[in-house]
């Protein structure tokens, strides 16, 4: 009720407003009320993916633990976060690429038709964008809100050019 009162003058579709309220609840940051950018089909695509039991792929465990797995699994979906996968760690140390980017490469097949939620690593979002452009990944929705001074804003700019529904924001705030 407190957040609803603070957003009384916010003119958004109901479904988008519900997402904004949850983001503000989690962050206590009212700037998200006017800072989130929604592709016109984002909510519909995300709900369809969830209802049909598709997976959610995350870049880091911090995002993974924020997803209510018991609800997701009730629809048949699962959460995948491969940041600490032994093959990912080994490949990262040998190649010099970030674990976040390599984890997205490894997870590309389980993200098809599902949701990708990037909450920390710009390199993960850049990799997902590259996989989509090359036709190697076909997520239904990409939530791209990586944080940082290096690459975060640029990765979000790249995201909004893709032919895939998205939710993001501008700048380095994640």
């Amino acid at each position: 009720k407190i957040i609803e009162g603070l957003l009384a003058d916010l003119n958004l579709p109901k479904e988008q407003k519900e997402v904004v309220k949850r983001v503000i609840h989690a962050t206590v940051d009212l700037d998200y009320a006017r800072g989130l950018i929604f592709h016109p089909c984002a909510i519909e695509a995300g709900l369809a993916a969830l209802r049909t039991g598709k997976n959610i792929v995350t870049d880091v465990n911090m995002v993974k633990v924020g997803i209510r797995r018991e609800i997701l699994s009730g629809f048949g979906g699962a959460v995948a976060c491969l940041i600490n996968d032994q093959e990912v760690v080994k490949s990262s140390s040998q190649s010099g690429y970030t674990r976040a980017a390599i984890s997205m490469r490894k997870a590309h097949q389980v993200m098809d038709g599902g949701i990708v939620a990037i909450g920390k690593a710009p390199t993960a979002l850049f990799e997902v964008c590259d996989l989509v452009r090359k036709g190697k990944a076909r997520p239904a929705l990409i939530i791209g809100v990586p944080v940082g001074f290096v690459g975060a804003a640029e990765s979000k700019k790249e995201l909004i050019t893709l032919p895939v529904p998205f939710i993001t924001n501008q700048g380095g705030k994640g």
Side-chain angles (χ1 to χ4, degrees):
K1 288 182 179 183
I2 294 170
I3 296 170
E4 185 70 39
L6 293 169
L7 301 179
D9 66 334
L10 187 62
N11 187 19
L12 283 177
K14 181 182 181 222
E15 296 81 9
Q16 289 182 11
K17 196 169 189 178
E18 289 301 314
V19 171
V20 169
K21 287 182 350 188
R22 288 182 180 271
V23 170
I24 291 171
H25 181 264
T27 63
V28 193
D29 187 342
L30 290 171
D31 288 344
Y32 283 110
R34 287 169 180 73
L36 285 179
I37 304 165
F38 292 84
H39 180 279
C41 300
I43 303 298
E44 180 182 327
L47 287 173
L50 294 173
R51 289 179 179 140
T52 57
K54 301 300 182 187
N55 297 316
I56 300 175
V57 175
T58 70
D59 61 333
V60 291
N61 286 314
M62 175 183 65
V63 176
K64 180 182 176 182
V65 299
I67 298 168
R68 299 175 83 187
R69 289 180 300 227
E70 63 280 357
I71 294 173
L72 181 61
S73 66
F75 289 103
V79 181
C81 179
L82 303 179
I83 193 79
N84 292 320
D85 177 90
Q86 289 186 9
E87 289 178 27
V88 168
V89 172
K90 182 178 178 183
S91 181
S92 175
S93 72
Q94 291 174 344
S95 69
Y97 289 103
T98 67
R99 288 189 298 154
I102 293 171
S103 72
M104 293 298 113
R105 278 184 217 156
K106 184 168 183 180
H108 80 277
Q109 292 176 331
V110 297
M111 68 177 64
D112 280 357
I115 299 171
V116 177
I118 306 296
K120 181 178 184 280
T123 57
L125 185 54
F126 277 127
E127 187 65 30
V128 170
C129 291
D130 190 52
L131 290 166
V132 168
R133 286 196 200 292
K134 291 178 177 174
K136 294 181 178 181
R138 294 165 193 84
L141 172 67
I142 302 170
I143 302 168
V145 287
V147 64
F149 294 105
V150 179
E154 295 83 358
S155 66
K156 295 169 190 179
K157 285 179 182 177
E158 187 170 332
L159 170 61
I160 63 174
T161 69
L162 296 178
V164 175
F166 60 83
I167 301 172
T168 192
N169 65 332
Q170 293 180 337
K173 184 190 293 191

